[in-house]
Amino acid sequence: MRFETPWLDVTRPLGAATFVFPGDPPVQLHPHATLDSHGCHVTGLSMGSHSGTHVDAPAHFVRGGATLSEVPLGRWNGPVWVLEIPASATIDEADLALAWPRAGAPERVLLNTRTTALAHPSSGLNLRAAVWLLERGVRLVGIDTPSIECDDTGLFPVHHALLGADCLIIEGLDLRGIAAGPYGMVCMPLKLDAPDGAPARVALQPL
């Protein structure tokens, strides 16, 4: 890491306007203490573990899969390749092949669909695309939409395929203005005592 090079924050803010997956708890912030009442500001926070920019550990969908605390921090951090994907409800293997770097086989990829505001439904991978990534040795996939899943049947085949193969997921990234290419990534999930996932602060540094 080069600390003299600016970091690009690709984390979406958490607040009352934060989009959450339908049925998940809303993000709620409320003043617990103020300068006038207590001499300091303290904010109460209530939210689900998959709010805003967040990570999915294998245990999110896989029985016996690695929990959040069992995933080494090094798995979330390191070289990553940003792929620019055409805006579409379904991202298939042809979209990935067009965006794939000509040299190298990245272990971590982030999919930039140029999403400006989170909403559901939105762009996501189909099962064939997920398998395509796994066949190329990808161990972490991130996306700038609320869910990496395009399937709306409630069966979550992409989550099962990726997490079942121990491929980590980051969802809800803010990749606006981020060009395709190689970066260094820092992704630090909150150290929640929960197995499934957590909000995370994610930043990129051009390589």
Side-chain angles (χ1 to χ4, degrees):
M1 292 185 292
R2 306 183 309 279
F3 292 100
E4 70 278 6
T5 302
W7 286 88
L8 307 172
D9 191 347
V10 292
T11 313
R12 295 185 187 265
L14 287 168
T18 299
F19 175 86
V20 298
F21 197 79
D24 281 5
V27 177
Q28 296 179 324
L29 301 176
H30 59 273
H32 175 75
T34 66
L35 288 176
D36 291 336
S37 65
H38 292 78
C40 64
H41 283 298
V42 177
T43 301
L45 171 63
S46 173
M47 62 181 178
S49 56
H50 297 265
S51 299
T53 303
H54 65 275
V55 304
D56 290 359
H60 182 33
F61 274 92
V62 179
R63 191 181 303 277
T67 63
L68 182 63
S69 63
E70 291 171 338
V71 177
L73 280 178
R75 292 281 315 276
W76 302 107
N77 297 273
V80 67
W81 199 283
V82 174
L83 307 178
E84 289 187 359
I85 304 296
S88 172
T90 301
I91 300 169
D92 60 24
E93 63 269 41
D95 297 321
L96 296 174
L98 285 174
W100 199 250
R102 295 182 180 180
E107 185 177 298
R108 303 175 185 88
V109 296
L110 305 181
L111 309 180
N112 186 354
T113 69
R114 298 185 180 88
T115 294
T116 57
L118 294 186
H120 185 75
S122 58
S123 294
L125 295 174
N126 63 21
L127 181 56
R128 295 189 307 275
V131 172
W132 192 93
L133 290 172
L134 292 173
E135 290 175 344
R136 280 148 187 82
V138 173
R139 302 291 309 285
L140 180 150
V141 185
I143 196 167
D144 57 354
T145 60
S147 174
I148 204 163
E149 197 89 42
C150 75
D151 183 86
D152 61 0
T153 64
L155 299 177
F156 300 98
V158 170
H159 279 83
H160 282 286
L162 294 176
L163 297 176
D166 197 36
C167 179
L168 306 176
I169 297 173
I170 307 175
E171 295 169 320
L173 291 161
D174 185 355
L175 297 175
R176 291 173 292 178
I178 304 298
Y183 294 82
M185 180 172 71
V186 169
C187 174
M188 300 298 288
L190 291 180
K191 196 173 183 178
L192 294 184
D193 187 13
D196 49 285
R201 189 70 178 262
V202 186
L204 303 177
Q205 189 178 64
L207 295 179

